[in-house]
Amino acid sequence: MEDRKLTVRAVERALDILMCFTKNSELALTEISALIGLHKSTVHRLLTTLEDRGFVVRNKETEKYRLGLKIWELSMHLSQSDDPAIRLLPAMEALRDRLGETVSLYLRDEAERLRIQAVQSNQAIRRVAQVGVRLPLYVGASSKVLVAFAPQVDQDELLNSQDWPESVDREVYRQQLAEILKVGYAISMEEREPGAAAVSVPIFDRYGKAAAALSMSGPVTRLSADTLREYAPVLKEAAREMGMMI
């Protein structure tokens, strides 16, 4: 029997509802219904159950929903020994203090990258990186690092996907991946976000697998392409030490 047949539809839908809150702090019933493509009556029944169990809370004045304290309670029981966002935080803070810029940690999740940890720069003008943000894999230094050091079959699947934007040339992207593999890091200058620059390197775990991407980012007024290249060896050394922790 295929694994897909073993899933429970109602559970899938309830989880889809919870995932709607990764990009929105509060949502109305109609908004959730539109996001997951289900009729409002079905969504309402699921929300009622989630609310009864404490996973969502309804604002009685606005009739909008937000995540409940049960989500926080579950998060408190995450295994700190296995969570790289927790284990690598001190090393990320040390790197931020050394370079003075925002440091982020990314994991690949299918066709996206997920920022699982960030340490903000202490400078007055800085790039603020929010934890939990999902970003596409076709643009940005960390995205390219995660793809460049991924197995070839994963690269081919991504680049041959129908979801690949027509504005991003596949062949140029492949050439960029080859260069990143050669030098061991990637830089980006206002690729995804105007005024922002970044350099990113892979973190290899103890088995030699590229497990995450370590990034340093800040305003282009402080970070030229040459400056980012100068910082790359510092990030590589930090990533090497972090790799021994995961």
Side-chain angles (χ1 to χ4, degrees):
M1 181 179 293
E2 297 180 0
D3 289 343
R4 181 67 181 174
K5 294 179 180 178
L6 297 176
T7 61
V8 179
R9 191 68 175 275
V11 176
E12 289 181 335
R13 290 173 169 177
L15 292 174
D16 287 341
I17 288 175
L18 294 177
M19 291 304 296
C20 288
F21 294 95
T22 58
K23 296 181 180 180
N24 304 275
S25 58
E26 281 195 341
L27 288 166
L29 171 62
T30 53
E31 293 173 319
I32 299 172
S33 176
L35 284 171
I36 64 175
L38 287 177
H39 194 276
K40 287 192 295 183
S41 61
T42 301
V43 174
H44 184 264
R45 289 197 298 272
L46 292 166
L47 282 169
T48 300
T49 301
L50 290 170
E51 183 181 8
D52 182 63
R53 295 301 182 95
F55 288 94
V56 298
V57 176
R58 180 171 56 90
N59 186 321
K60 295 181 179 179
E61 294 182 0
T62 64
E63 293 297 322
K64 289 189 174 185
Y65 294 84
R66 66 177 188 275
L67 293 177
L69 291 180
K70 280 293 182 181
I71 297 293
W72 177 83
E73 183 180 339
L74 284 175
S75 71
M76 293 298 99
H77 293 280
L78 284 172
S79 173
Q80 295 192 11
S81 63
D82 295 332
D83 188 352
I86 296 175
R87 299 191 70 179
L88 301 183
L89 181 58
M92 292 176 65
E93 291 174 336
L95 183 61
R96 184 273 314 275
D97 293 342
R98 179 176 180 182
L99 299 180
E101 303 292 351
T102 297
V103 175
S104 298
L105 184 67
Y106 293 94
L107 297 182
R108 181 189 171 195
D109 185 13
E110 297 184 351
E112 296 177 312
R113 58 173 158 131
L114 174 65
R115 186 184 294 127
I116 65 167
Q117 187 59 279
V119 180
Q120 313 300 337
S121 168
N122 291 324
Q123 303 201 50
I125 300 176
R126 63 185 184 270
R127 180 173 181 270
V128 177
Q130 295 182 335
V131 175
V133 171
R134 289 179 176 272
L135 301 166
L137 284 176
Y138 53 79
V139 65
S142 294
S143 289
K144 292 174 184 177
V145 161
L146 289 171
V147 178
F149 290 91
Q152 188 63 50
V153 62
D154 291 349
Q155 291 186 25
D156 292 339
E157 181 179 354
L158 176 68
L159 290 167
N160 294 329
S161 170
Q162 294 182 350
D163 295 328
W164 187 266
E166 295 181 0
S167 59
V168 181
D169 187 286
R170 286 178 169 85
E171 187 54 38
V172 171
Y173 190 89
R174 289 185 186 276
Q175 293 173 3
Q176 292 174 339
L177 297 182
E179 180 63 20
I180 292 167
L181 278 174
K182 180 180 177 181
V183 300
Y185 65 89
I187 65 173
S188 62
M189 303 293 295
E190 300 186 283
E191 278 189 22
R192 190 186 61 80
E193 183 179 338
V199 56
S200 181
V201 300
I203 298 178
F204 296 97
D205 62 21
R206 66 193 68 183
Y207 305 106
K209 176 185 176 183
L214 176 67
S215 171
M216 184 210 70
S217 60
V220 293
T221 52
R222 281 199 304 266
L223 299 176
S224 66
D226 288 340
T227 301
L228 293 174
R229 294 188 185 96
E230 291 175 3
Y231 284 163
V234 180
L235 262 73
K236 284 184 179 180
E237 177 59 25
R240 186 189 68 78
E241 295 175 357
M242 291 180 187
M244 294 187 289
M245 303 178 194
I246 59 177

